[in-house]
Amino acid sequence: VSTQSTWGTQLMENSKVFEAISNEVYKEMSSESLEFRDLEIADYEKGFPELLPNLSPGLIGKEAFIARFNELKKYQDLIQTIVCEDKNVGRIIGTIRFFIEPKFIRCGGTVLHFEDVIVDPESRHHGIGTKLVRIAKAISDKRGCYKCMADCRTDLIPFYEKAIGTKPKETSIVVYNEEILKASKSQLLNSYEQC
C-alpha cells in the first residue's frame, strides 16, 4: 500500500468526523440572525468577494472564484474558509480562513494557522471577528492541534489576546514576489473580472 493512498484514505475517513466537529462549533456560535458556516459557491452572490478588498485590494471574478473554490474543496479537511452570514439580509459579513499543518515535530502533531480575518466595516464592533477567531481556536482544540496561530499587525495583538488568549511569540518574515504583485496590480487596474 502506498503512503499516498493510505494518507488519502485516512483523510476520507476523518472527513465526516471533521465536518461534525466544524458543524458543532458553528452551531454554538450562530444565532437567530447570524449563521457561521463553511463557504459555499452561492456566497459569491451574497457579497463574499466584496469583503476581501477590506484586507487586500482586488475583487476575484466569478469564474476564478468557482475554480479556486473547487480546487480548495479537495483539501477541505486541511483548509477551511468560514463565513458569517447576516440572515436578515442574506449577505456575508465576515470570514476567516485556516489550514491545518501536519508536522513531523511534536510526534507528528498538527498546527492550525488562521488568516484573512475580515468583517464588513458596517458590521464591526458586534463581536463577529471575535466569534470567527474563537471558531478557529475551538476547531483547533477539538482536532487536537497543539498550537493555533496567526500572523498579524502589531496593532491587532490586543484583539487576539482578548478573543482567544494569544501571546506574541516570534517575528514573522516575509518576502514578496514583486513580479507577481506587479502583474496582479496591473490586472486590478484593467478589470475586476480578470482577477
Side-chain angles (χ1 to χ4, degrees):
V1 179
S2 76
T3 305
Q4 186 175 8
S5 64
T6 304
W7 174 252
T9 303
Q10 182 181 0
L11 282 179
M12 287 175 57
E13 290 170 357
N14 290 338
S15 185
K16 289 186 171 133
V17 173
F18 295 155
E19 185 178 344
I21 288 171
S22 296
N23 289 338
E24 175 187 327
V25 173
Y26 300 158
K27 187 176 179 181
E28 290 171 12
M29 293 291 182
S30 293
S31 66
E32 234 177 80
S33 60
L34 298 177
E35 179 183 19
F36 293 88
R37 58 174 171 74
D38 290 331
L39 178 70
E40 300 170 352
I41 287 181
D43 293 332
Y44 186 89
E45 304 299 334
K46 293 182 177 183
F48 177 77
E50 286 83 17
L51 268 182
L52 305 180
N54 288 293
L55 180 66
S56 185
L59 285 175
I60 187 168
K62 188 170 185 176
E63 205 172 287
F65 170 82
I66 292 170
R68 179 56 44 97
F69 179 90
N70 288 329
E71 177 186 358
L72 292 173
K73 198 77 175 153
K74 297 174 194 171
Y75 308 103
Q76 66 188 1
D77 294 331
L78 299 175
I79 303 170
Q80 283 183 266
T81 302
I82 299 166
V83 297
C84 175
E85 180 178 354
D86 181 336
K87 295 193 288 186
N88 294 325
V89 294
R91 298 289 292 169
I92 303 302
I93 58 171
T95 187
I96 187 172
R97 186 162 182 267
F98 67 79
F99 68 94
I100 307 277
E101 177 190 10
K103 307 283 272 183
F104 287 106
I105 62 171
R106 305 263 180 169
C107 301
T110 54
V111 173
L112 185 141
H113 299 262
F114 66 90
E115 61 185 3
D116 301 346
V117 180
I118 310 168
V119 177
D120 181 83
E122 293 179 21
S123 302
R124 291 180 184 161
H125 307 292
H126 297 287
I128 295 166
T130 297
K131 285 186 176 185
L132 286 165
V133 296
R134 285 183 178 165
I135 286 170
K137 176 68 168 89
I139 290 172
S140 172
D141 291 345
K142 289 178 183 284
R143 289 197 43 186
C145 297
Y146 72 86
K147 180 167 61 173
C148 178
M149 63 184 291
D151 293 324
C152 72
R153 299 186 323 252
T154 54
D155 62 310
L156 292 174
I157 291 172
F159 165 75
Y160 290 113
E161 286 176 331
K162 185 177 177 185
I164 58 173
T166 58
K167 302 284 182 238
K169 186 175 180 218
E170 291 140 0
T171 301
S172 294
I173 58 170
V174 66
V175 61
Y176 289 102
N177 182 323
E178 295 300 327
E179 290 178 31
I180 298 293
L181 285 177
K182 187 176 178 182
S184 66
K185 286 179 185 175
S186 175
Q187 281 183 329
L188 289 173
L189 295 175
N190 292 334
S191 167
Y192 284 130
E193 290 301 315
Q194 288 184 9
C195 185

